[in-house]
Each structure stands twice: as structure tokens, then as C-alpha cells.
């Protein structure tokens, strides 16, 4: 007997037993070997119907064993083939034990290619409705599964504390299109049950069971089990009730912070557009800092560094899609949660350490190579745009952008940048082409310096005259803070090549701070850099400059 046939682990004889004219039981399937069973499965067209799956799931820390019954309800008027695809590998054994068909005549053809099995169930209706019941057992080792079947698999890693079952591990994949109900009648007692439903365009929606049952459509559905505590609260956002839920081991404070984030973002952008937000704590596949924004929720490895960004994707990425700019705007929005100069300085250090010099307009997809440009640099650009147009105008523009891109395809970067520019030009009645050309069509940073400084005494006051230069071809407004023993004065100046600022003060200036609130990333700013030899991100000692007894600081 061939080794491949042994792997299949099936009976060698096909037995068909007729119980009644409208009821057939099928078991013991003879498989024929063919190449690429999965491609054969994809050739079959979808059939309209509904599926109900009842599962008993046991997990011992390494092995997940599932006893399942998959029920398919159809209303066929002509003969149809229902394909059922299942997977067998070193970590997943899916054994179909019996198929029961009511309301139709039925026979089966079975194929196997070394990894995938395919049952082609030929149904000839003899009643108005037909019911198919598939009885099976699945043995799966989630901790050893490195197959990336779907985009969510790149972000979630199974552990003994939290693991997931892809559809292949708990059901036979069919081509039935309609409602899918998954009932988990029993599971390991110290785990909490959740789910992720795949939506179009690689979006995912978190689901919690109603009792023991998930109600979905026929999209791919992942079952999650974790040793989480469940925290929940209901909040009001502009008069509408929103349910906030956290499945996590981080503590009850998480649900309170989620509520705060939703309220903050709703104030600046538009009110949170969904009735529920679910956060699920997961383990990352590639790193300890990994997350994914969900439709009405988020998954992530840790709260502080990830979830404010992932929550923002419910506006930029879910409610409105802007392609790669979703990451820039989600990063910017996360700054609204805890806006500190330390955070801005940290982001600026990441930007200045990057070796990638690809303009955002030339980036078509999110990759690790372009991550800094799309996330920190992109977020900082929108912070600089806020500085240029003013707070009220900036957030009004973001609200307009969200509403336009909620109904319009905004995933093409250059066209969306033109749209954003148009929105802000209409609001400000100014030509902003210079800003967008500098920041989105280039990938370097301004280099602001004080090229000369003079202090003159005038009666009891002082006159400070500064020459501020920009050496990388940027034309940008800049704030300058003048510090004296008596008072601090902040002035705004537009620097194009070089500009002169003259300020009268009551006390002699002791310090000049360029960009004191860190609105603009610039070459001499930030106290952080990547140490490429050690591959660490660390504080650096910046050289202090002094002219005529006045200390110069560039933020």
C-alpha cells in the first residue's frame, strides 16, 4: 500500500445504504489521487444555502481535538455538485466519518493530492428542501501551524494561553453561500470564546458568541480561545450608546482607556461610527509589537504601543479607505490620545534614523522597508499640516475627507493627495501645492539653523535679531521661542531659504528654541536615534550651540 494512501486514514470501500427514498447515508470513501485538489475545488460555482456547524472543542495545551457536525440546508431545483475541501498534514488531520443526505439522491466522488482532500457530493433533489449532515473529527496542533492561509495569520500566533482555529481546522470548506452559524457546544473550560469574521478587502470583524453561538455570513470565520478576562462598559458618544469590550490579561484599566480613546477621536474626527468596539489581546507572529485594526475593534500584543493606532483604523481604513495613507493618518490620530512633546520627539528620532528615502507618493503597499515613511513620517507630515492650516481648519478638513472617502474609492495615493490638497485649499483659500510637493513628493527633512544672532540694548529693553536658514530646500512656517529671565516670547516666521526675525524683549535673551512644540521634523531635532551597530533605539547627546551668550536649541 502506498504511504500516501496510509496518510489519508480512510476506509477503502464505498458503502451506500438507503434508509428511505429521501434519506441516504454515505461513509467509507475511496479517494483517487489527482494533482492540485485545491484548484479543482475553486472551479466549482457557489450554491445558495445556509450552514450550521456544531462543535465540541478540547485543548490540552498542544492538541486541539474537535468533534463536529456540519449541516447544510439547500433548496435545489436541479442536480448540483457540492464540493467539500479539507486539509490533512503533519499538524492537521480532518477525517469525515459519515455524510447523511435528506430530500435528495446522492453519491460521492473523492480526490486527494497529498495535502488536501475533496469530496464532490452530487445532489439530485427529490423534495423542495435538502439537508446534508457531515460528521467528522479534526485533530489540530495550533502552536505548530506556520501556514499563512490569510492576512490575519500574519498577525496572530497561537500559544498555550490563546490560540485560534482557522476554518480548515473545524469544518469542511464548502462553496455554499449564505448564513453560517457556528455553535461551540463545549470547549476547554478555562478559555474564553471569541471569533474573527473576514469581510471584503481583507477586513475582519470581531464577534462574541450569543450564548454559545456565532451568527455570521459565509465568509471565513476564525474561532479564538484565550485565557482572557472580559471587561465591558457602555459609553455615550454624542447621544449614541457604544458597547466597549476588552478580552485581555492586562487589567480592567484597558476598557476605560478604550472608552477614552473612542471619545477623544470622536471629538476631533467624526463620532465613532459603530455600536460596538471589541479589543482582543493576542500574541504576535513576528514580534512583540504587532496589531491589526478590526471593523469595530482591534487585536494587538500590547495596549500602550499599538491599540491607539489600531483603534484609529476604525476611521482610517474601515469607515474610509485611503490606501497606504491609512497608516499615516492612523499614526497621526494616535497622537491625539496622549499628545506629548516626548512622543513627538520619539517619532522624530525614528524618522531621522530611517535609511529609506522613498517619497510617500511612490509607495504602493505597506512593507517593512517603507514602514517608517508611512507611519512616523506620514503621521508627522499631517501634524505639520495641522500647524500650517490651524487646528480648527485641520480637523474640519479631516471630517470632510472621511465623509468623502466613506462613499468614494480613495485608495490611489496620488489622487487622494490631490483630494486632500483640494479640501484644505478650499478651506484656507490658499495655494498649498508647495507643502504637498515638499512633504509627499520628497523624502528628506528641513534643516533649520540660526546662521547669525545679534542682541542690542534699547533703553531698558533688548532687541534680538536672528537670521534663520533652511538648507534642504524646504519653505515652511516655523515657531521661535525666545527665553529671557523676565518673559518668554513665541513668534511665528516663514522661512524660505533664510529669514530675519527681530524681537524686542524686557530681559536679555538666554535661549532660542526653534520649533518649541515640535510641529515640524527637522534634521537637527530629536534626542533619539537608532544605533545601527547595536540595533537599539536610544537617547543621544546633542551638541549645544551658543551665539553671543544665547543658547540655541532645535526641536
Amino acid at each position: 500500500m502506498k504511504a500516501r494512501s496510509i496518510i489519508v486514514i480512510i476506509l477503502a470501500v464505498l458503502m451506500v445504504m438507503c434508509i428511505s427514498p429521501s434519506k441516504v447515508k454515505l461513509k467509507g470513501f475511496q479517494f483517487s489521487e489527482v494533482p492540485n485538489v485545491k484548484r479543482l475545488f475553486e472551479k466549482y460555482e457557489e450554491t445558495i444555502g445556509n450552514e450550521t456547524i456544531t462543535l465540541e472543542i478540547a485543548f490540552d495545551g498542544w492538541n486541539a481535538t474537535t468533534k463536529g457536525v456540519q449541516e447544510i440546508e439547500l433548496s435545489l431545483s436541479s442536480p448540483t455538485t457540492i464540493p467539500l475541501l479539507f486539509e490533512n498534514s503533519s499538524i492537521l488531520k480532518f477525517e469525515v466519518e459519515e455524510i447523511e443526505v435528506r430530500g435528495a439522491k446522492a453519491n460521492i466522488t473523492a480526490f486527494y493530492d497529498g495535502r488536501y482532500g475533496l469530496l464532490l457530493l452530487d445532489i439530485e433533489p427529490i423534495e423542495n428542501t435538502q439537508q446534508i449532515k457531515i460528521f467528522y473529527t479534526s485533530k489540530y496542533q495550533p502552536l505548530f501551524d506556520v501556514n499563512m492561509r490569510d492576512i490575519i495569520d500574519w498577525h496572530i500566533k497561537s500559544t498555550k494561553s490563546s490560540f485560534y482555529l482557522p476554518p480548515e481546522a473545524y469544518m469542511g470548506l464548502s462553496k455554499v453561500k449564505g448564513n453560517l452559524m457556528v455553535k461551540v457546544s463545549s470547549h476547554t473550560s478555562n478559555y474564553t470564546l471569541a471569533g474573527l469574521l473576514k469581510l471584503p478587502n481583507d477586513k475582519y470583524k470581531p464577534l462574541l458568541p450569543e450564548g454559545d453561538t456565532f451568527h455570521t455570513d459565509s465568509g471565513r470565520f476564525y474561532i479564538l480561545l484565550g485565557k482572557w478576562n472580559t471587561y465591558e462598559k457602555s459609553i455615550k458618544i454624542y447621544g449614541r450608546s457604544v458597547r466597549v469590550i476588552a478580552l485581555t490579561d492586562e487589567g480592567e484599566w484597558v476598557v476605560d482607556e478604550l472608552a477614552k480613546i473612542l471619545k477623544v477621536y470622536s471629538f476631533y474626527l467624526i463620532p465613532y461610527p459603530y455600536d460596538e468596539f471589541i479589543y482582543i489581546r493576542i500574541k504576535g507572529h513576528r514580534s512583540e509589537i504587532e496589531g491589526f485594526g478590526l471593523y469595530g475593534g482591534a487585536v494587538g500584543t500590547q495596549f500602550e504601543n499599538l491599540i491607539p493606532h489600531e483603534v484609529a483604523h476604525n476611521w482610517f481604513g474601515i469607515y474610509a479607505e485611503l490606501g497606504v495613507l491609512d497608516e499615516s493618518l492612523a499614526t497621526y490620530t494616535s497622537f491625539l490620545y496622549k499628545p506629548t512633546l516626548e512622543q513627538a520627539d520619539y517619532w522624530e528620532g525614528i524618522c531621522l534614523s530611517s535609511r529609506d528615502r522613498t517619497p510617500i507618493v511612490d509607495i504602493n503597499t505597506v512593507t517593512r522597508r517603507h514602514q517608517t515613511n508611512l507611519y512616523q513620517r506620514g503621521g508627522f507630515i499631517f501634524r505639520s499640516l495641522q500647524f500650517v492650516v490651524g487646528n480648527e481648519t485641520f480637523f474640519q478638513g479631516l471630517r470632510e475627507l472621511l465623509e468623502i472617502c466613506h462613499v468614494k474609492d480613495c485608495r490611489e495615493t496620488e489622487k487622494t493627495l490631490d483630494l486632500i490638497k483640494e479640501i484644505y485649499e478650499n478651506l484656507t483659500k490658499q495655494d498649498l501645492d508647495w507643502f504637498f510637493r515638499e512633504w509627499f513628493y520628497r523624502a528628506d527633512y528641513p534643516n533649520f539653523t540660526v546662521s547669525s544672532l545679534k542682541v542690542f540694548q534699547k533703553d531698558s529693553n533688548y532687541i534680538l535679531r536672528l537670521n534663520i536658514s533652511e538648507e534642504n530646500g524646504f519653505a515652511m512656517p516655523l515657531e521661535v521661542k525666545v527665553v529671557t529671565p523676565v518673559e518668554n516670547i513665541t513668534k511665528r516666521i516663514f522661512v524660505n531659504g533664510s529669514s530675519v526675525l527681530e524681537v524686542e524683549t524686557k530681559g536679555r535673551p538666554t535661549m532660542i528654541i526653534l520649533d518649541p512644540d515640535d510641529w515640524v521634523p527637522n534634521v537637527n531635532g530629536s534626542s533619539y536615534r537608532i544605533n545601527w551597530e547595536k540595533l537599539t533605539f536610544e537617547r543621544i547627546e546633542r551638541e549645544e550651540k551658543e551665539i553671543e551668550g544665547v543658547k540655541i536649541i532645535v526641536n
Side-chain angles (χ1 to χ4, degrees):
M1 184 179 294
K2 293 182 179 180
R4 186 172 292 179
S5 298
I6 295 173
I7 294 175
V8 177
I9 314 176
I10 57 171
L11 296 175
V13 180
L14 172 65
M15 295 186 296
V16 179
M17 179 171 60
C18 295
I19 306 302
S20 70
S22 64
K23 182 177 178 181
V24 178
K25 284 190 176 182
L26 307 169
K27 58 183 177 180
F29 312 114
Q30 179 66 53
F31 284 76
S32 300
E33 293 188 20
V34 297
N36 208 331
V37 161
K38 198 171 184 181
R39 182 179 296 175
L40 179 61
F41 170 76
E42 294 297 337
K43 289 182 179 180
Y44 285 86
E45 295 183 356
E46 292 179 339
T47 301
I48 301 300
N50 296 312
E51 290 185 272
T52 300
I53 296 174
T54 304
L55 305 170
E56 297 176 2
I57 303 171
F59 182 62
D60 64 8
W62 297 100
N63 305 288
T65 301
T66 302
K67 295 287 291 184
V69 180
Q70 185 170 348
E71 301 178 62
I72 301 174
E73 295 184 2
L74 305 168
S75 297
L76 301 175
S77 58
S78 60
T80 300
T81 298
I82 305 297
L84 292 168
L85 181 73
F86 59 90
E87 185 176 329
N88 273 309
S89 65
S90 61
I91 59 166
L92 174 58
K93 301 290 185 184
F94 193 95
E95 183 179 357
V96 179
E97 295 152 355
E98 181 177 281
I99 298 178
E100 181 181 292
V101 181
R102 293 177 181 269
K105 297 178 181 179
N107 63 74
I108 280 182
T109 309
F111 300 99
Y112 187 67
D113 65 3
R115 178 176 178 182
Y116 292 100
L118 179 64
L119 299 178
L120 299 179
L121 185 59
D122 294 321
I123 302 294
E124 183 181 339
I126 57 177
E127 296 182 3
N128 291 332
T129 60
Q130 304 82 41
Q131 292 86 35
I132 303 168
K133 277 189 177 182
I134 304 134
F135 300 85
Y136 54 90
T137 299
S138 169
K139 296 180 184 286
Y140 176 55
Q141 294 179 303
L143 277 62
F144 296 102
D145 195 347
V146 295
N147 293 311
M148 301 301 174
R149 302 178 183 88
D150 217 342
I151 188 171
I152 200 68
D153 289 294
W154 288 95
H155 298 274
I156 301 180
K157 180 180 180 180
S158 290
T159 69
K160 291 182 179 181
S161 296
S162 64
F163 67 97
Y164 70 90
L165 303 180
E168 290 83 355
Y170 70 82
M171 65 179 286
L173 302 184
S174 73
K175 301 284 276 190
V176 175
K177 183 69 174 178
N179 292 324
L180 170 65
M181 187 166 67
V182 180
K183 179 178 180 180
V184 182
S185 59
S186 67
H187 63 82
T188 306
S189 61
N190 58 337
Y191 286 80
T192 300
L193 186 64
L196 290 177
L197 174 65
K198 186 178 182 183
L199 305 174
N201 296 332
D202 290 327
K203 295 185 178 73
Y204 295 84
K205 180 178 177 61
L207 294 179
L208 298 180
E210 298 176 16
D212 59 3
T213 303
F214 296 97
H215 298 275
T216 83
D217 60 18
S218 56
R220 283 181 64 83
F221 181 70
Y222 288 74
I223 296 173
L224 278 65
L225 287 154
K227 293 182 179 180
W228 305 302
N229 295 316
T230 302
Y231 305 102
E232 180 177 347
K233 71 185 304 180
S234 181
I235 62 173
K236 290 287 186 180
I237 296 181
Y238 290 92
R240 187 165 55 83
S241 180
V242 176
R243 186 182 177 208
V244 184
I245 303 159
L247 304 181
T248 181
D249 57 2
E250 294 159 297
E252 189 173 3
W253 61 269
V254 168
V255 76
D256 295 323
E257 289 302 305
L258 286 171
K260 176 183 175 182
I261 292 171
L262 293 177
K263 289 181 177 180
V264 169
Y265 293 178
S266 295
F267 175 79
Y268 287 108
L269 304 174
I270 61 171
Y272 179 66
Y274 310 111
D275 295 327
E276 189 173 67
F277 187 93
I278 300 172
Y279 162 55
I280 304 173
R281 164 110 162 183
I282 52 107
K283 178 77 173 177
H285 236 302
R286 297 167 294 179
S287 73
E288 292 300 318
I289 301 180
E290 191 139 10
F292 198 86
L294 306 174
Y295 184 108
V299 293
T301 56
Q302 54 178 280
F303 185 91
E304 289 287 352
N305 292 327
L306 290 166
I307 299 309
H309 174 96
E310 304 303 344
V311 173
H313 276 308
N314 279 268
W315 283 264
F316 299 106
I318 306 292
Y319 184 80
E321 288 186 85
L322 293 92
V324 298
L325 293 176
D326 286 331
E327 299 300 347
S328 301
L329 284 159
T331 302
Y332 165 79
T333 302
S334 69
F335 188 78
L336 301 174
Y337 164 54
K338 288 184 178 178
T340 65
L341 290 180
E342 179 66 18
Q343 181 65 62
D345 194 41
Y346 189 86
W347 282 1
E348 189 174 18
I350 295 174
C351 292
L352 298 174
S353 298
S354 175
R355 295 173 174 175
D356 180 24
R357 288 295 183 263
T358 306
I360 286 179
V361 74
D362 293 334
I363 301 174
N364 299 315
T365 187
V366 179
T367 65
R368 286 190 174 275
R369 178 190 170 194
H370 300 313
Q371 184 169 317
T372 297
N373 277 6
L374 289 178
Y375 288 70
Q376 288 81 17
R377 186 175 192 276
F380 229 124
I381 290 173
F382 283 102
R383 177 166 164 77
S384 297
L385 181 59
Q386 178 185 351
F387 174 61
V388 169
V389 302
N391 293 345
E392 183 177 344
T393 298
F394 178 73
F395 292 114
Q396 183 180 346
L398 285 189
R399 290 189 285 271
E400 287 188 22
L401 179 66
L402 283 165
E403 296 301 356
I404 292 171
C405 294
H406 179 58
V407 296
K408 177 183 177 180
D409 188 345
C410 294
R411 289 173 291 179
E412 190 174 331
T413 304
E414 190 162 12
K415 288 183 178 180
T416 301
L417 289 174
D418 288 341
L419 170 63
I420 297 171
K421 182 166 76 76
E422 180 183 355
I423 288 171
Y424 284 108
E425 286 183 335
N426 289 338
L427 290 172
T428 61
K429 308 302 180 187
Q430 298 176 20
D431 180 0
L432 295 173
D433 186 67
W434 59 272
F435 180 91
F436 283 80
R437 290 288 162 189
E438 286 178 356
W439 288 104
F440 292 105
Y441 287 79
R442 295 173 57 185
D444 51 0
Y445 299 91
N447 186 0
F448 293 109
T449 60
V450 174
S451 53
S452 65
L453 179 153
K454 296 291 183 183
V455 179
F456 307 95
Q457 190 160 5
K458 178 184 177 183
D459 299 327
S460 61
N461 292 340
Y462 292 86
I463 302 295
L464 171 70
R465 184 175 297 156
L466 292 173
N467 190 302
I468 301 173
S469 301
E470 197 293 306
E471 299 177 0
N472 282 349
F474 280 78
M476 278 292 293
L478 181 70
E479 282 187 339
V480 180
K481 184 175 182 179
V482 182
V483 178
T484 79
V486 178
E487 60 182 345
N488 297 334
I489 300 172
T490 299
K491 294 288 186 179
R492 184 173 174 134
I493 184 175
F494 196 91
V495 181
N496 186 0
S498 66
S499 298
V500 176
L501 175 66
E502 192 170 287
V503 182
E504 184 171 343
T505 65
K506 294 179 180 178
R508 192 183 195 285
T510 58
M511 183 185 301
I512 303 298
I513 306 174
L514 303 188
D515 194 18
D517 291 323
D518 221 347
W519 287 106
V520 183
N522 60 84
V523 168
N524 296 306
S526 184
S527 301
Y528 292 94
R529 289 293 189 281
I530 291 178
N531 184 323
W532 288 105
E533 291 184 359
K534 298 180 181 179
L535 294 179
T536 56
F537 193 66
E538 55 193 38
R539 279 188 171 274
I540 60 171
E541 291 292 331
R542 291 198 287 164
E543 183 179 347
E544 294 185 357
K545 185 177 181 180
E546 188 174 295
I547 303 176
E548 289 203 8
V550 180
K551 187 176 180 179
I552 311 296
I553 295 177
V554 180
N555 273 350

